[in-house]
Amino acid sequence: RQRYEGFLNKITILGELSMYDRVNVADALESRTFQDGHKIFSQGEMGHEMFFVEEGQIRVMRRGRTSVVAETADRLNEDEVQINLLSPGNYFGEVALLTSKPRLASVYAVGETTVAVLDKHSFERLMGPCKNLMERDLPKYREKIREILGDEADEIFPQLNQFE
């Protein structure tokens, strides 16, 4: 718990939580370390966890329309395009938990990377005030997703329109 308390204080979105709630989140986190290039999750998978970058970096990659419909899921990364690079204090995976939609991108460790993981059940149980804030920020997510995906965003993620 002590390992995460200071770390969680630095994550802006968690500022909505009381100290008591932050301690409960710290208790629910699980630390995982990945080696360079390890795929943490794949585009199109259903999300059951969100992640906080503790150490290292995370490369966020997205496949285009042609590779999304490819017959094999094990295509080489040649069709993926980097859309973000995350550093300690950043978090990812929350959109899939908020919307119950598949992951919009794949994420990979850059160098040795450690993340703190919060499962969906704990997210829903403990992150109430933050979840409300994240849902309030969904219009910002919508704009970012449309910026990344263009016209494809409305086809893949039609519920974005409810946040106009």
Side-chain angles (χ1 to χ4, degrees):
R1 174 192 303 177
Q2 291 176 347
R3 171 183 179 169
Y4 293 122
E5 285 180 24
F7 171 73
L8 293 176
N9 286 333
K10 297 176 187 172
I11 298 175
T12 309
I13 193 80
L14 299 181
E16 295 291 314
L17 295 178
S18 69
M19 181 56 111
Y20 174 78
D21 289 335
R22 255 181 277 158
V23 167
N24 286 330
V25 169
D27 285 341
L29 291 173
E30 172 192 332
S31 189
R32 294 186 196 154
T33 299
F34 300 100
Q35 298 306 308
D36 185 46
H38 181 86
K39 185 185 284 188
I40 297 170
F41 61 71
S42 296
Q43 178 179 331
E45 291 178 354
M46 292 306 293
H48 304 288
E49 301 168 315
M50 79 171 288
F51 305 81
F52 301 90
V53 183
E54 291 183 73
E55 297 174 1
Q57 292 184 310
I58 296 293
R59 180 173 289 122
V60 182
M61 305 289 287
R62 170 110 180 119
R63 288 188 313 267
R65 180 182 301 236
T66 55
S67 62
V68 169
V69 295
E71 291 180 20
T72 175
D74 280 341
R75 292 196 57 152
L76 295 175
N77 296 340
E78 66 215 18
D79 293 330
E80 289 184 320
V81 175
Q82 181 172 322
I83 58 174
N84 207 348
L85 185 65
L86 306 175
S87 300
N90 292 139
Y91 55 91
F92 59 99
E94 77 285 0
V95 173
L97 298 186
L98 290 168
T99 63
S100 298
K101 291 290 185 182
R103 304 281 191 192
L104 292 174
S106 298
V107 296
Y108 300 85
V110 177
E112 185 173 275
T113 301
T114 302
V115 296
V117 183
L118 187 66
D119 65 77
K120 185 173 184 164
H121 174 73
S122 298
F123 174 82
E124 291 172 347
R125 181 173 54 89
L126 298 170
M127 300 281 284
C130 292
K131 185 178 176 197
N132 294 338
L133 182 63
M134 288 175 186
E135 287 172 341
R136 247 190 357 247
D137 283 348
L138 276 171
K140 292 178 191 171
Y141 287 118
R142 181 198 70 219
E143 293 307 314
K144 183 69 172 168
I145 291 166
R146 282 193 177 138
E147 182 181 306
I148 293 166
L149 302 180
D151 293 337
E152 189 180 1
D154 291 330
E155 293 173 33
I156 293 174
F157 216 48
Q159 78 271 24
L160 287 174
N161 294 322
Q162 72 185 348
F163 301 110
E164 299 280 7

